[in-house]
Amino acid sequence: MSCFRRLRLVAVISTIAAMVVLGWFTLAQMPVQAQSRATAAITLDGRRLFEVNEAGQFSAENRAADANLILREAVRSSEPVKVEILQTNQLPVILVNSRHLLTVTRQDTPPGRSTQEQAKIWVQRITEAVRQGQEERRLSYFWRAILLAVLFVLGAIALHLALGWVWRYWLRRLLPQEANHPDTGAQPKGIELFLQLTLVLVRAFLWIGTAIYITDLFPLTREWSQRAVSILWMSLTSPVISIGESSYSVINIIILIGLFVGVLAIAGAVTNLVRSRVLRITNISRGVQESIAVAINYSLIFIGTVVLLQIWGLDITSLAIVASVLGVAIGFGLQGVAKELVSGFVVTFERAIEVGDFVEIGKYMGTVERLNARSTHIRTLDDIVVIVPNSRLLDTEVVNWSHRGSTSRLVLPVRVAYGASISVVRSALLEAARESSDVLKKPAPLVWFQGYGEDFLNFQLLVWISKPRKQFQIKSDLYFKIDEILRQHNINIPYPQRSLHLRSGSLPLELSPQLENSLSHLSEGLIAWLKTQLQTHNSNGFTNQSSQSTKTSTDKNTSD
């Protein structure tokens, strides 16, 4: 149990840390977007060296494009590249192999730095980048990079498999197997889903990092990957939704969804903590504990959502139109969902049905395991979970065997044959009830004599039990014991008896004249057919007899 609690604590801490990092990232990106200027980057083999601004009639994009073209040509040469500074018109000019790269202007320098100092810094960066680019184009570096890429892929595969092994053989064993854990109140399916999503995200980041590292080893792939990342980043950071005076990009929406998921996780963790550490030590019933936990969970979610939207900069009053549209949608298209939600709140706070009750709804009998906002989970006697809509609990009759107490009565009809002593039968039935460990001593078992039947004496054995879920098993055990005790006392179970009396005589049947004529014609035809068959049989017999006589005479003459 301590391992499971530590696992849950780690999950909550990781969720809170992710929320803090995402919030800091969002706040850090907003000023950058506000202070962005029209600049262009000087790059070489996908590496960003520095940025230039527009100078006079030359835009920043044109200056960067010309400089990047010269650097690409220089780095492909196998000869050493000479980078120098030439003073022209009181402005430093950077030359690469005696070719004009760019002129450092006042717009390119930050406050407190001269153009000459800025030119020296850029020359140093260009020299190092060109030298590294020429080194990366050699054959020895190529084979070394291939070896590093293979080793990194093998390491990623090993780490991928190790993460799966940790999930299968360590994390899953720490999860409780009960539908609702008795100590923590945690739902193992939700925790398992959270851990699976975490595993998928970690594996995804692992392979994304592997791909970035491998593409960064080679100049050509590095340039392509940097270009793809730049395009993807621009598409994610471009505003797509405007609400009031604020505009939000795709990445802002993703971060907002992530923070909302964090609110749900924190609300669930706090609810489980209150359920396991506060409500569990009280003497209130499990159903009341579940109702309080549900109220706390929804309250935390509502408060966290409102606070999150306010911090994010959304004006709640500006969402009035959205709320009105949502209300119309609920009124027309989401009537069923709204009905189930309202029914769920009524069932939860009315407490006519609580978690742990044994109920009978239509043809289903089982124990209530969860009371959700839209549906109720019932585990039947076949160990199958049936999801019942909450509105059905209010619209139809529900038999709650555990309402206001778990004691319930079972009625077992017993029939014995005539001739048995009524007192002996009563004693035998009470003896069978007393020997069962599942039958309560108080209230005491009763035997009722219902009356005389056609061929039996009708009795009823009434017993009280505290485990309604085991009622069928208890009935079966009692019947086994009753049959054994009745046989010991030579009391017979009656067989159904039926008497059949037969009388001779004519039946008063009346036939129509047409039917009588049809029957007479049919009988006459049948008699004629029988006569014909008899004559044919006799003639065939006579012929066979004559043949046998002739054959006998011939045989006799031959012998003489």
Side-chain angles (χ1 to χ4, degrees), residues 163 197-207:
L163 291 173
L197 292 177
T198 304
L199 177 63
V200 171
L201 290 176
V202 170
R203 284 178 167 177
F205 285 133
L206 171 64
W207 288 108

Side-chain angles (χ1 to χ4, degrees), residues 150-343:
V150 172
L151 292 177
F152 209 85
V153 170
L154 293 178
I157 293 174
L159 188 57
H160 181 97
L161 298 177
L163 291 173
W165 182 86
V166 170
W167 161 249
R168 287 192 301 269
Y169 296 101
W170 185 58
L171 293 180
R172 294 188 66 178
R173 294 182 180 181
L174 299 179
L175 296 177
Q177 299 300 323
E178 295 84 355
N180 195 332
H181 198 268
D183 293 334
T184 63
Q187 303 295 335
K189 294 297 182 183
I191 299 176
E192 183 176 358
L193 179 60
F194 174 77
L195 293 177
Q196 286 180 347
L197 292 177
T198 304
L199 177 63
V200 171
L201 290 176
V202 170
R203 284 178 167 177
F205 285 133
L206 171 64
W207 288 108
I208 291 174
T210 303
I212 293 175
Y213 177 79
I214 293 176
T215 55
D216 193 66
L217 292 175
F218 306 95
L220 184 60
T221 56
R222 186 190 305 122
E223 186 175 356
W224 290 347
S225 64
Q226 291 294 334
R227 190 177 303 172
V229 169
S230 177
I231 295 174
L232 180 61
W233 181 254
M234 289 180 60
S235 62
L236 292 177
T237 55
S238 299
V240 293
I241 296 178
S242 297
I243 300 178
E245 298 179 356
S246 303
S247 298
Y248 300 94
S249 61
V250 176
I251 194 169
N252 296 137
I253 298 173
I254 294 175
I255 294 174
L256 180 61
I257 294 174
L259 293 175
F260 180 72
V261 172
V263 169
L264 296 180
I266 293 176
V270 173
T271 302
N272 291 332
L273 187 63
V274 172
R275 184 191 287 115
S276 60
R277 298 298 180 87
V278 179
L279 298 178
R280 187 167 174 263
I281 62 177
T282 60
N283 295 325
I284 58 179
S285 63
R286 185 182 175 188
V288 178
Q289 295 182 21
E290 191 66 25
S291 300
I292 296 174
V294 170
I296 293 175
N297 188 28
Y298 287 128
S299 300
L300 291 176
I301 292 175
F302 176 76
I303 295 173
T305 303
V306 173
V307 172
L308 178 61
L309 294 178
Q310 291 287 349
I311 295 176
W312 198 254
L314 288 176
D315 187 6
I316 304 299
T317 58
S318 64
L319 300 178
I321 299 177
V322 178
S324 62
V325 174
L326 183 60
V328 174
I330 292 176
F332 287 97
L334 302 178
Q335 293 181 358
V337 177
K339 179 181 179 182
E340 303 301 338
L341 292 175
V342 175
S343 302

